[in-house]
Amino acid sequence: MHMGKISSAVAVIAFSVLLGACSDDTGKVTDHLEKANQYLTKADSRAAILELKSALQLDIDNVAARLMLGRAYLAQGFGAAASKELTAARRLGSDDAQLSIDIARSMVMAGEFDAALKAVEKDGADSVRWKTVAGFAQLGKQQLKLARESFEQALNLDQADTEARRGLAQAIFASGDADLAKKQIEQALQHNDKEVQTWALKGELGLSLQDLPAAQTSFEKVIELSPNSPLAHLGLARSLLAQNKVDAAAIHIRALERLKLNTPMVNYLRALEARQKNDITTARDALREVLSVAPNHAPSQLLMGQILLLQRDLDQAKDVLSRYVSQVPNNPAG
């Protein structure tokens, strides 16, 4: 999602001083905020987050740092963390005009779709931003017709809004019209070809359609725009592994490890890498990590079943694959 404009360094500095970091540390806090703002303008949210955490170690109640940190988490797609920081900024007295919308966005990212829709009902105005938030919440609830209507209403207010255009593309694709979804993404790129989120969505569409070279190209564009983007490294690793380019994929899996992104998807990619290298033990261990926190992750169930068959652990293989088939009954592999 589009994260809105980050406040300028001058405004941030003035705000932090006004709110009164301890006098001995004010200069240090200001320095961290300046650096964070510089990183954010370069779309390097991860580096900005480190600076903002350092600022908050010196001044835990600094509203500007909380606000910027919440928005940096939004840029990274970490909804729960963003919600925590943005809610703290509100509690500490921030009157930022975009704060309510950003909190609603963070709810959507965290999967709290009903809470986001309640926020739209309570605080939402007849604006592009609020209609887009409503659309993504409805999309999360699989209310595809309502979501499409919300995004179209947003675009009626501003045809150039790329966030609403991306949402419309997702709603259309979820409804089964891949060609029209592609057209919406291309329109978004015509309006702005520098947005990471649009290229990432194009890459995800390519993966879904098994157009792996196109997906790879799109995620490479994300890397170009935002070198530390976890979404880009995840997408590139997936598209490269699907093309059996194991060594190239490993570069991006190691990058995710350096970013300390220890999620089920990263462990699944480790398992795929190990399986393609015929390292069955490592693959099984990685899949255990995935299934311990995401027991219904269907791709991991299928891969684990295949590995258990290779190891002649037939009872466990039958159990895991039975759970997979119950979720994905039409896949002959299961």
Side-chain angles (χ1 to χ4, degrees):
M1 288 187 188
H2 176 66
M3 295 302 125
K5 293 182 179 178
I6 304 294
S7 55
S8 69
V10 173
V12 168
I13 295 164
F15 198 16
S16 68
V17 173
L18 177 65
L19 291 170
C22 296
S23 57
D24 291 343
D25 294 327
T26 297
K28 293 179 182 178
V29 171
T30 298
D31 185 52
H32 286 305
L33 293 176
E34 280 185 327
K35 289 179 179 177
N37 191 72
Q38 290 168 7
Y39 284 127
L40 288 170
T41 59
K42 298 175 183 177
D44 191 347
S45 299
R46 179 172 174 77
I49 287 169
L50 295 176
E51 293 293 340
L52 292 165
K53 285 183 175 180
S54 296
L56 287 168
Q57 286 177 352
L58 297 170
D59 182 9
I60 195 170
D61 291 331
N62 190 290
V63 180
R66 293 284 178 194
L67 196 60
M68 290 177 71
L69 182 57
R71 286 173 174 159
Y73 280 134
L74 275 179
Q76 289 274 0
F78 300 145
S83 181
K84 176 184 175 183
E85 298 302 332
L86 294 169
T87 302
R90 173 186 277 174
R91 186 180 66 250
L92 291 168
S94 173
D95 59 355
D96 185 276
Q98 297 297 311
L99 182 55
S100 293
I101 291 176
D102 285 340
I103 290 175
R105 284 178 171 142
S106 70
M107 291 173 179
V108 172
M109 284 187 181
E112 299 172 5
F113 306 123
D114 288 329
L117 288 171
K118 286 181 181 178
V120 172
E121 185 177 341
K122 177 186 176 184
D123 299 322
D126 189 21
S127 70
V128 174
R129 298 274 66 78
W130 279 109
K131 287 188 179 299
T132 302
V133 169
F136 278 109
Q138 290 157 343
L139 189 60
K141 289 169 65 68
Q142 295 297 302
Q143 297 172 339
L144 301 182
K145 182 179 179 181
L146 288 174
R148 185 165 177 171
E149 289 173 357
S150 293
F151 292 127
E152 287 173 343
Q153 289 167 6
L155 289 167
N156 285 337
L157 295 170
D158 183 0
Q159 285 290 314
D161 190 83
T162 51
E163 182 185 14
R165 187 74 64 185
R166 288 194 299 271
L168 182 58
Q170 291 179 60
I172 289 171
F173 183 67
S175 300
D177 192 338
D179 289 337
L180 184 56
K182 286 180 182 178
K183 289 178 181 177
Q184 295 296 332
I185 293 172
E186 292 306 322
Q187 284 187 51
L189 289 172
Q190 287 172 13
H191 286 295
N192 187 345
D193 65 355
K194 302 298 183 184
E195 285 190 338
V196 166
Q197 298 93 333
T198 307
W199 284 106
L201 178 58
K202 187 174 183 179
E204 290 295 336
L205 184 62
L207 284 173
S208 296
L209 297 173
Q210 290 298 301
D211 189 351
L212 302 176
Q216 179 181 337
T217 299
S218 295
F219 287 119
E220 286 171 346
K221 185 65 177 181
V222 178
I223 288 281
E224 179 186 324
L225 294 169
S226 181
N228 289 324
S229 168
L231 284 175
H233 289 295
L234 280 168
L236 270 170
R238 288 156 61 204
S239 58
L240 290 165
L241 284 170
Q243 297 174 79
N244 294 316
K245 299 178 180 179
V246 183
D247 291 338
I251 294 171
H252 299 286
I253 297 172
R254 302 292 87 78
L256 290 165
E257 291 170 349
R258 288 194 298 274
L259 292 170
K260 302 187 185 302
L261 193 66
N262 189 26
T263 68
M265 181 55 73
V266 174
N267 282 318
Y268 174 66
L269 292 175
R270 287 193 187 107
L272 280 177
E273 177 193 3
R275 174 68 186 92
Q276 292 190 20
K277 291 180 176 177
N278 208 31
D279 184 351
I280 302 303
T281 300
T282 298
R284 184 171 177 171
D285 289 344
L287 289 170
R288 281 175 175 161
E289 291 289 329
V290 178
L291 294 172
S292 68
V293 295
N296 294 322
H297 186 243
S300 292
Q301 289 175 336
L302 179 60
L303 185 57
M304 178 66 96
Q306 293 168 343
I307 286 171
L308 290 168
L309 284 172
L310 286 173
Q311 295 183 321
R312 307 299 297 170
D313 192 343
L314 302 183
D315 288 338
Q316 284 199 55
K318 181 180 178 181
D319 177 61
V320 171
L321 290 170
S322 294
R323 284 186 277 127
Y324 173 81
V325 169
S326 69
Q327 290 193 86
V328 192
N330 296 321
N331 187 347

